[in-house]
Amino acid sequence: MPKVTLNMSLEDIKALVFQLPAQEFLSLADAIEDRSETIAMMQLSETGFQEWNEEGENIYDGEA
C-alpha cells in the first residue's frame, strides 16, 4: 500500500472527524483507544528491558 502524506493540522483532522456519523465516530474512538493502550504498554515494557543494555549483561551475545 502506498504511503500518503497529508499536510493537515490537528484542528483540520478534528474538524473532519467530528463530521462523522455517530456510529463511525464511536468506532474510530474505540480504535484510537485500543492503539493508545498498545502504545502505552509498549512504552512501559521498554523500561523493563533497559537492564539488558548494561555492561556485563551480554551472556546471550556469545557464540554457541
Side-chain angles (χ1 to χ4, degrees):
M1 178 193 278
K3 189 169 188 163
V4 177
T5 304
L6 298 175
N7 189 15
M8 296 177 70
S9 70
L10 181 57
E11 291 303 317
D12 292 338
I13 295 169
K14 284 181 184 179
L16 288 173
V17 168
F18 291 148
Q19 292 177 28
L20 290 171
Q23 190 59 38
E24 290 181 17
F25 179 84
L26 293 173
S27 177
L28 178 60
D30 285 343
I32 290 171
E33 181 181 7
D34 290 346
R35 176 75 171 131
S36 65
E37 288 174 356
T38 299
I39 290 170
M41 291 302 290
M42 289 173 64
Q43 289 173 337
L44 181 62
S45 68
E46 285 176 357
T47 62
F49 294 105
Q50 290 303 316
E51 66 188 47
W52 291 3
N53 292 329
E54 292 180 9
E55 189 67 33
E57 294 293 332
N58 58 356
I59 61 172
Y60 299 107
D61 293 341
E63 293 182 19

